[in-house]
Amino acid sequence: MKTFLRILGLVAILIIVFAIYVATRPSHYDVKRTKVVSAPPSVVFDIVNEFKTWEEWGPWKEVDPSITPTYNEQTSGVGAGYSWTSDQDGPGRMETLALKTNESIDQKIYFDRRGSADVYWKFKPQENATEVTWGMKGELSFMEKVFFTLMGGAEKLFGNMLSSGLDKLDVYAKNELEKHTIEDKGLSDYGGGFYLHLTTECSFDEMPAKMDKMLPEVLLYAIGKDFPRSGAPFVLYHKYDEVNKRVAFSTCIPVAERVKVDGDIALAYLEPGKYHKTSLTGAYKFLEEAWKKAFEFAEVDGFKVPENAKPFEVYSKGHSTSDNPT
């Protein structure tokens, strides 16, 4: 009996010591991990901002295969959310509270059995990549501190999960950049109209940089003059010399009426007519493939391209606003 009482007393002392130890542990935690993801900020941001993609790269499924998500009507942007059930950890939910496009996202995650936490994302542009920081922070009650202590602490509990998720996000983002579709849209009536433009001639290699500079310049001019725009930006090709690798093109902003221009910006008119239309959904690196397909589609559809034709590309998402555009 005395031995039993001694053991009981020792257990009581250990419990008291453990409780004192837990009480002295920090009540606040902030666990974060950072990884350079091989995709531009706009692509990575769009993936994280859309909750429906989380099933593809989120780290939870490999830890708990029983998780079953249910999506809100809104799944991206401020106010978006989803919930889940889990045989292992019970139900939970997450919502997006604030964001800065391509820069940051603030979210809140709720665990019915473990309270809540603040979730935050930071996106920092790198050369052809994005430095992504994913973190979780919150305050712990005494019982939550007991749980975290028994599980090895917040760093161990959340750190490995965040690292795994970022690794999977990197793979998913790279795969997204390779996705593209090229569709034959057939003959289309184009209504023509006035457009503002800048025109230049350069080598094939110089074209991307010149286009990225010139198109925003024309757009900002139209905005500054408060000209009524009548469509998406486009690039009009005047010459495409594959032998000498030279191209002449105009970066264009359509306007609803004839307007008075000055400086380097010029005004021109595109005649109405029938055009053969091809649609590319994907990154700009697939443009060459799209143009090749466009001429193949036109031939199959019986459309004869005039020798003096000036083909053009329309950017439905804006040439400078999307790295994975339509």
Side-chain angles (χ1 to χ4, degrees):
M1 185 67 177
K2 288 182 179 179
T3 302
F4 174 74
L5 290 175
R6 287 195 189 98
I7 295 173
L8 192 62
L10 181 59
V11 171
I13 291 171
L14 290 175
I15 292 174
I16 293 170
V17 170
F18 178 72
I20 293 172
Y21 172 77
V22 170
T24 61
R25 304 303 297 161
S27 296
H28 178 79
Y29 67 91
D30 187 350
V31 182
K32 60 185 175 183
R33 294 292 185 269
T34 298
K35 181 179 179 65
V36 175
V37 174
S38 305
S42 61
V43 172
V44 184
F45 178 89
D46 285 347
I47 292 170
V48 176
N49 187 37
E50 173 53 68
F51 279 130
K52 286 185 177 179
T53 71
W54 287 47
E55 276 192 90
E56 304 297 327
W57 58 266
W60 300 283
K61 273 286 186 180
E62 63 183 19
V63 177
D64 181 6
S66 70
I67 290 178
T68 304
T70 300
Y71 297 102
N72 294 5
E73 184 174 342
Q74 181 182 343
T75 57
S76 65
V78 175
Y82 81 109
S83 59
W84 63 86
T85 58
S86 163
D87 296 338
Q88 181 175 305
D89 287 327
R93 61 188 174 90
M94 179 180 281
E95 61 184 65
T96 298
L97 305 178
L99 59 79
K100 290 183 180 178
T101 302
N102 300 338
E103 294 182 17
S104 65
I105 299 176
D106 293 324
Q107 299 167 326
K108 192 83 171 181
I109 189 169
Y110 302 88
F111 303 100
D112 281 17
R113 297 177 184 173
R114 294 206 308 268
S116 64
D118 296 319
V119 178
Y120 59 92
W121 294 84
K122 304 293 182 185
F123 307 93
K124 184 178 179 181
Q126 303 287 319
E127 185 175 357
N128 299 319
T130 307
E131 182 185 276
V132 182
T133 297
W134 185 15
M136 294 180 68
K137 60 184 178 180
E139 300 293 330
L140 300 174
S141 66
F142 179 79
M143 291 307 298
E144 287 170 339
K145 285 202 288 184
V146 170
F147 172 79
F148 273 59
T149 301
L150 292 173
M151 296 300 293
E155 278 289 336
K156 181 178 179 181
L157 188 63
F158 295 135
N160 292 340
M161 179 195 70
L162 298 176
S163 294
S164 174
L166 289 174
D167 288 342
K168 292 176 180 294
L169 177 62
D170 183 35
V171 173
Y172 184 83
K174 283 189 278 192
N175 289 338
E176 283 297 293
L177 285 178
E178 294 304 313
K179 289 182 179 179
H180 67 288
T181 57
I182 300 172
E183 298 179 86
D184 181 358
K185 297 293 187 177
L187 287 177
S188 176
D189 288 316
Y190 183 73
F194 291 102
Y195 62 93
L196 306 172
H197 69 94
L198 280 172
T199 300
T200 192
E201 181 176 345
C202 63
S203 68
F204 284 1
D205 291 340
E206 295 173 312
M207 182 180 173
K210 285 186 175 289
M211 190 181 295
D212 284 343
K213 179 179 180 297
M214 292 164 56
L215 199 51
E217 189 175 339
V218 182
L219 178 60
L220 290 174
Y221 179 86
I223 293 173
K225 293 289 188 178
D226 200 25
F227 290 151
R229 300 191 301 279
S230 60
F234 65 95
V235 168
L236 180 66
Y237 290 94
H238 306 285
K239 179 181 75 174
Y240 199 86
D241 185 349
E242 293 189 1
V243 175
N244 298 303
K245 305 297 181 184
R246 300 287 296 178
V247 59
F249 66 94
S250 297
T251 54
C252 313
I253 301 294
V255 289
E257 58 192 38
R258 182 190 294 272
V259 293
K260 186 177 181 181
V261 296
D262 51 34
D264 295 330
I265 307 294
L267 180 74
Y269 184 80
L270 190 61
E271 293 290 342
K274 282 193 177 294
Y275 287 80
H276 192 277
K277 183 177 179 181
T278 297
S279 172
L280 164 67
T281 302
Y284 293 117
K285 64 183 179 180
F286 299 112
L287 273 174
E288 185 175 347
E289 180 186 350
W291 274 109
K292 181 180 178 182
K293 287 282 188 182
F295 284 102
E296 290 176 0
F297 291 152
E299 185 175 348
V300 170
D301 293 340
F303 181 79
K304 185 173 177 60
V305 180
E307 290 209 13
N308 62 343
K310 294 182 178 180
F312 58 95
E313 298 166 352
V314 179
Y315 303 108
S316 63
K317 286 189 178 179
H319 187 271
S320 299
T321 60
S322 175
D323 296 284
N324 208 27
T326 300

